[in-house]
Amino acid sequence: MTLPSSVVGDLGVLGVAFLPLAAINWHSVMFLLFAAVACLAAVAVVAADNVVRMALYLVVSLAATAGLFFLAGAEFVGAMQLMIYVGGTLVLLVFGVMLTAQAPFVAIKSEGGDRVVAGIVGAALLAALVLAGLSVPAWRQPASMHAPPPAATPLGMALVGVRVDAAEGPGVIGPRVGYLLPFEIVSVHLLVVLVGAAYLARAKRRKVPRPIDQVASVEPPASVAAHASIGRGERAGSVLTGGSA
Amino acid sequence: MVEYLTHTLGLSGTLAWTIAAVVAAVLVLNVIAGGALVFIWAERKVAARIQDRLGPTRTGGRFGWLQSLADGIKLLAKEDLMPDGADGLLFKIAPYVSFCASFCAFIALPFAFDVVGLRLNVAVFFVVAVLGLEVFGVIIAGYASASKWSLFGAMREAAQVVSYEVPLGMCVVVPVMLAGSMDMVTIAEKQAGWFWNWYLFHDPFTFVVFWVYVTCAVASVNRAPFDLAEAESELVAGFHTEYSGLRWSFFFMAEYGSMFLVSGMAAVLFLGGWNGPIPIATLLGWSEGTGESAHYLVRLVGLANLIGKATLGVLFMMWIRWTLPRLRIDQVMTTCLKYCTPIAAVMFAGAMLWQVLLPGGLMPGVGRPGGEVREGWLEGPGGRAVQAPAPPAVAEIRP
Amino acid sequence: MTSLSMNPVLGFLIDAPVSVAHYLVVGAILFTAGVACMATKRNALGVLMGIELVLNGANVNFVAFASTYLAGEGGRPLGLDGQVFAVFVILLAAAEAAVALAITLNFYNNHATVDVDRADDLKG
């Protein structure tokens, strides 16, 4: 399976022509890419006024962070971030955005003074955090790039209370404890939250009309202005069943 | 491939790695795009046969097999319209979000033993997670179109996909539990041999779980009878009402890509992956060590097996689409929360009990790969055995 | 192409391996953006998004300190503990988002707005 030497020579020339390509540390490049996307999207969340766009930028930021987790060898956390954060929490959030996306609330402008103060305080906070992060020499050591151990199974074992990861790895610190109790607490917590959220969000029967009904009856959302006359007024049924149309 | 490039061609490691990455990406892209072309044609033919029609017959000679290419050219030439009140940025990127999610999930799907974009240790989890991102494209599209129909379609889609992720996750966990790994390559390897080694036939519980998985998979890729997001009888065309031309076709490709993906995942998790029903390679005496040509031939047979199984899955989805009527949205939710989730939960517990009580199966003679201590990490660094965490009772009952 | 590798800044960025500090900077930016978002947004859901960003920034730090891959020679990675913490943070963020969203929707139902500046019923 050897190619003729002329072909190899051509490819060699190609390799020389793209010599910088061969010298690139792809891990760093991917890190830069994901980090830039995550940070720019995070800043865009702050800068945007339209709440739907904010949600989109947040999705991009969190997904790029998941990419950073993959690059750091934390595959399970990265997949978890994609599944629960991006696929679950944010869908929920977007759902909320759409339920409340009446025209006056889509873009509530922040006050100018608030922005200036937030900018100053934020810059100070950022400077402090970055200086703190760069102050420890050990954290500035370039990555040793030892292949990360398969993290999912030991992580699962740790969550049920058994530690099987390399207990005496080079310089590993930290307690050798399992996480069964926190795991159980989180499970019960999630159950309580589920019940509580369902209770809070349940449909209530009320005798006096809600303020929302009055607002909606005088002010149709601009985005559906063309169809405003259809089914307006009764508001029976949920948005999922197509309203009362 | 990286080894081939570095050793045979004498390229540097990084360059070889880059070339291999590009080749892999292009191959996956071709699977989606080419697959979509074939499946769209197949869908027309299947639909036609079920409805006692002929379907496309003319384009490209017999069977109209060039029909989707002609459609593609038509879509390319179509004017790309955007409604007046639409949110321009969101409207434009929505199809690409959908398509990228569908495309990214293929990274971790193994097509044959070595033929996998990236062998991830949490592949199953990754695929389910990334597949869930596709819904974002739909939601954004629905919102940005500034149309009632689109918004309703998007809201339905959001509710449906988030709900169906719960039973889907539970179904997927069952093969993961049986194999003791979330690595899809490992899961498929555990099912090597005759077809009764497939997890579908592992025990009665997994058999039921497979059908629950099929239901949830159909729902999570928005195919009829669960295609409420684009229910044309009530919502015009749902979330893509306002789309036309190339952007619309991106949604379409994403849909067919996802169909192929969930079918491929079903094949890996329950139907033995690239292991055929009959272990032809083993019977003929080919294995990893018998030489280079046999080595590649085994891969090729595996590839054909997996693609064949996934294609059968897609055809199955087409069959149900043209056979069953569409559900109402409340029926969709009932199916998920009152039927699929409890059934999946009970079957999960049942499969777990079966695995503990009857690890060898009912017929210990047939040589199912039982519950050996499975993963390399148990042996610690340097071959020194770390004490196994679970009592290895399972290992002793092994036939 | 050659100029790319000659450029000291860009050359350093693409040649040098990343370190924990790189991740800390990313985490700091996400955290600060989140805090600014919480402080300036008047839409309740915008505030919620700020909280998610803050938690996410913290998670980046947890994962960076946990990573055996990123730790330099003589570094002391947290190992699994950092990852377990990150997982817990993600789970609790999901729970927090669900409750906060329920509260927001309730508020919206009762007051017909999601502007947090108008949630001043308890003001003396």
Side-chain angles (χ1 to χ4, degrees):
Chain A
M1 289 295 271
T2 48
L3 293 173
S5 60
S6 60
V7 178
V8 178
D10 286 350
L11 280 170
V13 169
L14 205 70
V16 170
F18 290 98
L19 192 59
L21 201 64
I24 286 175
N25 183 340
W26 279 106
H27 186 269
S28 298
V29 173
M30 295 307 281
F31 169 83
L32 278 182
L33 186 72
F34 281 127
V37 171
C39 295
L40 287 181
V43 173
V45 172
V46 183
D49 271 328
N50 184 327
V51 69
V52 181
R53 287 204 183 177
M54 278 165 58
L56 174 72
Y57 295 138
L58 188 62
V59 170
V60 172
S61 178
L62 295 186
T65 315
L68 287 181
F69 292 168
F70 277 102
L71 283 183
E75 291 168 353
F76 185 79
V77 182
M80 191 108 172
Q81 166 111 351
L82 280 182
M83 178 130 184
I84 295 183
Y85 234 131
V86 186
T89 310
L90 282 181
V91 170
L92 204 68
L93 208 58
V94 172
F95 212 75
V97 166
M98 289 192 173
L99 284 177
T100 60
Q102 306 283 345
F105 314 125
V106 167
I108 304 179
K109 288 245 186 278
S110 309
E111 285 168 25
D114 279 0
R115 289 201 166 195
V116 174
V117 174
I120 295 170
V121 175
L125 181 62
L126 183 63
L129 286 176
V130 169
L131 284 180
L134 295 180
S135 64
V136 178
W139 296 346
R140 278 184 280 130
Q141 294 265 341
S144 52
M145 306 266 179
H146 297 310
T153 315
L155 194 67
M157 301 302 295
L159 284 180
V160 294
V162 185
R163 293 300 288 259
V164 293
D165 47 324
E168 55 287 299
V172 175
I173 56 169
R176 322 300 318 156
V177 293
Y179 286 90
L180 183 58
L181 184 63
F183 185 69
E184 290 300 327
I185 292 175
V186 166
S187 318
V188 176
H189 179 92
L190 283 178
L191 182 66
V192 170
V193 162
L194 188 72
V195 175
Y199 174 78
L200 278 177
R202 79 196 190 285
K204 300 180 189 71
R205 298 182 182 283
R206 49 181 75 230
K207 300 202 174 74
V208 290
R210 300 172 302 170
I212 176 67
D213 292 331
Q214 295 160 5
V215 169
S217 61
V218 297
E219 193 175 30
S223 62
V224 290
H227 305 284
S229 58
I230 303 172
R232 174 71 35 201
E234 305 104 48
R235 290 184 65 85
S238 86
V239 69
L240 291 178
T241 53
S244 58
Chain B
M1 183 166 164
V2 175
E3 289 83 39
Y4 172 74
L5 286 174
T6 39
H7 292 150
T8 318
L9 297 185
L11 297 178
S12 77
T14 320
L15 190 61
W17 191 86
T18 313
I19 294 176
V22 169
V23 168
V26 168
L27 277 181
V28 171
L29 201 59
N30 273 326
V31 167
I32 299 185
L37 284 185
V38 175
F39 288 139
I40 290 170
W41 172 79
E43 172 118 51
R44 288 166 167 244
K45 288 306 254 189
V46 168
R49 292 293 160 176
I50 288 177
Q51 296 170 341
D52 210 4
R53 295 184 283 119
L54 284 178
T57 50
R58 296 186 180 219
T59 322
R62 291 177 67 83
F63 309 124
W65 60 276
L66 275 180
Q67 184 65 42
S68 4
L69 202 64
D71 283 347
I73 293 170
K74 183 205 79 172
L75 283 172
L76 279 176
K78 210 168 172 179
E79 187 186 356
D80 197 5
L81 291 172
M82 188 164 76
D84 215 13
D87 187 330
L89 172 74
L90 298 184
F91 187 83
K92 279 178 191 151
I93 65 168
Y96 307 120
V97 172
S98 252
F99 182 75
C100 284
S102 178
F103 172 70
C104 281
F106 273 92
I107 292 175
L109 183 74
F111 286 93
F113 177 69
D114 267 350
V115 190
V116 50
L118 175 63
R119 186 170 172 175
L120 266 181
N121 160 8
V122 290
V124 175
F125 200 19
F126 178 81
V127 171
V128 174
V130 174
L131 202 61
L133 300 190
E134 205 192 326
V135 64
F136 265 109
V138 174
I139 296 179
I140 294 169
Y143 171 78
S145 297
S147 153
K148 241 184 188 176
W149 314 123
S150 302
L151 190 60
F152 283 145
M155 297 293 269
R156 288 178 175 188
E157 162 101 5
Q160 179 183 331
V161 170
V162 172
S163 310
Y164 270 93
E165 253 180 31
V166 176
L168 187 73
M170 279 188 194
C171 297
V172 161
V173 160
V174 171
V176 168
M177 180 181 68
L178 298 182
S181 167
M182 281 200 279
D183 185 350
M184 280 183 155
V185 178
T186 314
I187 292 177
E189 270 181 330
K190 296 275 177 201
Q191 308 174 56
W194 292 85
F195 61 87
W196 52 76
N197 279 349
W198 294 357
Y199 283 147
L200 175 63
F201 304 116
H202 186 271
D203 55 60
F205 301 107
T206 50
F207 190 77
V208 178
V209 160
F210 173 71
W211 296 106
V212 179
Y213 173 85
V214 168
T215 311
C216 297
V218 172
S220 66
V221 298
N222 264 311
R223 290 283 297 185
F226 300 104
D227 60 343
L228 270 298
E230 43 176 294
E232 73 268 7
S233 53
E234 8 178 333
L235 293 185
V236 191
F239 66 91
H240 57 63
T241 306
E242 309 291 347
Y243 280 88
S244 61
L246 199 58
R247 293 187 208 287
W248 179 81
S249 68
F250 266 97
F251 275 125
F252 224 63
M253 270 201 270
E255 177 178 334
Y256 280 88
S258 307
M259 276 166 70
F260 190 76
L261 184 79
V262 289
S263 306
M265 195 149 137
V268 170
L269 292 182
F270 293 99
L271 302 178
W274 54 83
N275 302 301
I278 301 164
I280 303 171
T282 321
L283 290 184
L284 290 180
W286 298 343
S287 61
E288 299 299 320
T290 40
E292 200 155 288
S293 54
H295 175 87
Y296 284 113
L297 213 56
V298 170
R299 297 277 188 286
L300 215 58
V301 171
L303 197 66
N305 256 322
L306 189 103
I307 292 183
K309 283 174 192 171
T311 309
L312 276 183
V314 174
L315 289 177
F316 179 79
M317 286 189 192
M318 291 175 186
W319 177 30
I320 21 184
R321 169 170 179 184
W322 296 104
T323 308
L324 295 178
R326 178 180 299 127
L327 299 177
R328 280 198 322 263
I329 181 70
D330 60 321
Q331 291 168 332
V332 169
M333 288 311 193
T334 311
T335 312
C336 171
L337 297 174
K338 285 195 184 161
Y339 296 103
C340 286
T341 310
I343 294 176
V346 170
M347 292 304 141
F348 171 67
M352 188 167 61
L353 284 179
W354 186 284
Q355 180 73 358
V356 173
L357 299 178
L358 290 167
L362 286 180
M363 295 179 292
V366 296
R368 184 192 309 291
E372 67 267 37
V373 178
R374 284 164 174 132
E375 291 209 12
W377 55 265
L378 280 179
E379 293 178 8
R384 176 176 30 107
V386 176
Q387 194 193 349
V394 181
E396 288 158 16
I397 319 175
R398 186 174 150 208
Chain C
M1 277 312 236
T2 328
S3 65
L4 189 79
S5 59
M6 289 300 171
N7 186 329
V9 177
L10 213 54
F12 171 74
L13 281 178
I14 62 177
D15 290 345
V18 297
S19 64
V20 175
H22 287 70
Y23 274 78
L24 295 188
V25 172
V26 174
I29 294 176
L30 290 179
F31 184 89
T32 315
V35 171
C37 197
M38 280 198 280
T40 56
K41 296 292 173 195
R42 285 169 57 203
N43 190 325
L45 293 162
V47 177
L48 203 55
M49 290 179 198
I51 298 175
E52 307 292 342
L53 274 180
V54 166
L55 293 174
N56 200 40
N59 255 356
V60 170
N61 282 18
F62 272 128
V63 167
F65 282 127
S67 174
T68 47
Y69 189 64
L70 291 176
E73 301 300 330
R76 295 156 68 82
L78 276 179
L80 220 44
D81 299 283
Q83 290 195 19
V84 172
F85 254 91
V87 167
F88 281 141
V89 168
I90 292 175
L91 288 179
L92 292 179
E96 162 260 321
V99 172
L101 195 69
I103 293 174
T104 307
L105 288 183
N106 234 8
F107 179 67
Y108 178 70
N109 275 339
N110 288 323
H111 294 262
T113 181
V114 284
D115 186 347
V116 285
D117 285 355
R118 289 179 51 190
D120 53 4
D121 285 1
L122 293 179
K123 211 173 189 175

